[in-house]
Amino acid sequence: MAIAEQRVAERKFLRGLYEDPYFPDQGVAVLTALCERIEAERPADLAALYALTDAATEEFNALEAAFEAAGSEIETVAREEIAEEFWVIASAYGFAAADPERLVGARYW
């Protein structure tokens, strides 16, 4: 499914992390899938949006085990960049009032 919302369709997700060849493709896939789910399900309120972002955050949580197995981790810079992307996505879809910490509230990283 192609993303219709131009502000996220044209965005280079996690561009600050592209120096690590292991991370970006998997993280970008999670964020892209989040956008697709938002467009397909059209959450009516913040609670519905948070349900979607919780699921995406759980996907990032699952990636952390893979990072550790490869001798890597989701460190401070990555944490901030991931959280920022969640907020950008929420804002693009009309949820600028979303709590940035709540968007990634299910995180273990």
Side-chain angles (χ1 to χ4, degrees):
M1 170 180 177
I3 297 172
E5 174 54 56
Q6 291 297 45
R7 289 173 286 182
V8 291
E10 296 172 356
R11 186 169 178 86
K12 300 263 189 239
F13 290 128
L14 304 172
R15 70 176 165 223
L17 303 176
Y18 277 99
E19 291 82 39
D20 182 352
Y22 180 76
F23 181 77
D25 291 337
Q26 292 179 356
V28 169
V30 171
L31 294 170
T32 300
L34 173 59
C35 293
E36 291 170 348
R37 287 192 68 195
I38 291 170
E39 290 187 9
E41 297 181 25
R42 304 217 182 269
D45 56 21
L46 283 173
L49 175 69
Y50 292 147
L52 297 178
T53 62
D54 283 348
T57 300
E58 292 291 343
E59 291 182 51
F60 273 104
N61 289 343
L63 289 179
E64 188 162 21
F67 284 26
E68 289 173 4
S72 185
E73 66 180 320
I74 300 177
E75 39 69 42
T76 304
V77 172
R79 286 183 203 119
E80 294 302 316
E81 183 130 357
I82 294 166
E84 173 71 16
E85 296 293 9
F86 272 75
W87 190 84
V88 166
I89 290 168
S91 295
Y93 288 104
F95 294 98
D99 177 350
E101 287 299 315
R102 178 59 189 91
L103 289 170
V104 292
R107 70 181 171 186
Y108 297 126
W109 28 272

